Amino acid sequence: MAENSLFAILLRSPWWISFAISAAIVTACLAWLPRDIAPFAALGAAPIFVIGCMAAWRQFKAPSGAKVEAIRAEAAAMSWKDFCAALENAWKNEGQSVQRVAGQTAAVDLQLEKNGTLTLVSARRWKAANHGLESLKELSDAVQRLKADHGVYVVLQGSVSDSARAMPRSTACCCSKVTRLPPCC
């Protein structure tokens, strides 16, 4: 699904927006169309109603902002050893095969594999105040050198520079701010 398609935008929006749009479509169809056609035209609102149901389910399952902040604070208080173990456990619980990459490359901390897809994880600078282009380039180089499918750069706190944010669009590396840590943390 395209990132800026109507359905993608509605999935990211509060659930009630989709329900309001579908109700407006149904109301407009019933008010402006002939009575014999109106019910069939109103069925055009069904996909938007379904998207509203999906958004409601996702939002119901999502942790509250306070819970996310509490987990983030707990993770920030962890030592590197504990944080890395929490990441390992979370990915193992999702069915990934996880290996620590010790000494092979400074940019990579963990190697994940699932269904033949290899992902390299750089989480070493998880508490850094600033995240620049250099550490992302190191990860990207490691992804290419080790012929991995993806790269993940874990950021817990601090800011990512604009040049570093722009880089993943042109390489095999992913850059995102961790907003939800797994329950094991």
Side-chain angles (χ1 to χ4, degrees):
M1 180 181 319
E3 184 178 338
N4 290 324
S5 70
L6 175 64
F7 292 140
I9 291 169
L10 288 175
L11 275 173
R12 292 189 303 263
S13 300
W15 59 269
W16 58 267
I17 291 175
S18 296
F19 290 153
I21 291 171
S22 62
I25 291 171
V26 168
T27 303
C29 289
L30 295 175
W32 295 332
L33 295 175
R35 296 245 182 251
D36 56 334
I37 300 174
F40 300 107
L43 286 176
I48 296 174
F49 182 80
V50 170
I51 292 293
C53 292
M54 291 170 62
W57 179 250
R58 283 184 178 181
Q59 292 165 22
F60 174 72
K61 289 178 31 176
S64 68
K67 185 173 182 176
V68 169
E69 201 50 48
I71 292 171
R72 185 177 292 174
E74 183 182 337
M78 289 180 177
S79 68
W80 164 247
K81 183 180 175 182
D82 294 338
F83 183 72
C84 189
L87 289 176
E88 281 184 58
N89 289 337
W91 276 311
K92 283 179 183 176
N93 289 340
E94 290 181 358
Q96 301 271 357
S97 167
V98 182
Q99 288 183 303
R100 287 194 186 195
V101 181
Q104 293 177 10
T105 177
V108 179
D109 299 308
L110 299 171
Q111 179 177 312
L112 313 175
E113 187 172 351
K114 184 174 183 179
N115 300 331
T117 301
L118 181 65
T119 303
L120 301 178
V121 178
S122 177
R124 184 164 297 141
R125 293 177 42 93
W126 60 292
K127 282 189 179 181
N130 297 310
H131 301 272
L133 191 58
E134 187 173 315
S135 38
L136 279 176
K137 281 185 178 179
E138 289 174 1
L139 177 59
S140 179
D141 292 344
V143 166
Q144 291 174 358
R145 186 175 61 254
L146 299 173
K147 295 180 177 37
D149 298 300
H150 306 284
V152 176
Y153 187 77
V154 177
V155 175
L156 182 65
Q157 59 192 31
S159 61
V160 178
S161 70
D162 291 337
S163 58
R165 282 188 193 280
M167 181 192 172
R169 293 182 185 96
S170 61
T171 65
C173 180
C174 284
C175 175
S176 63
K177 187 147 182 139
V178 173
T179 57
R180 180 178 65 90
L181 289 173
C184 66
C185 292

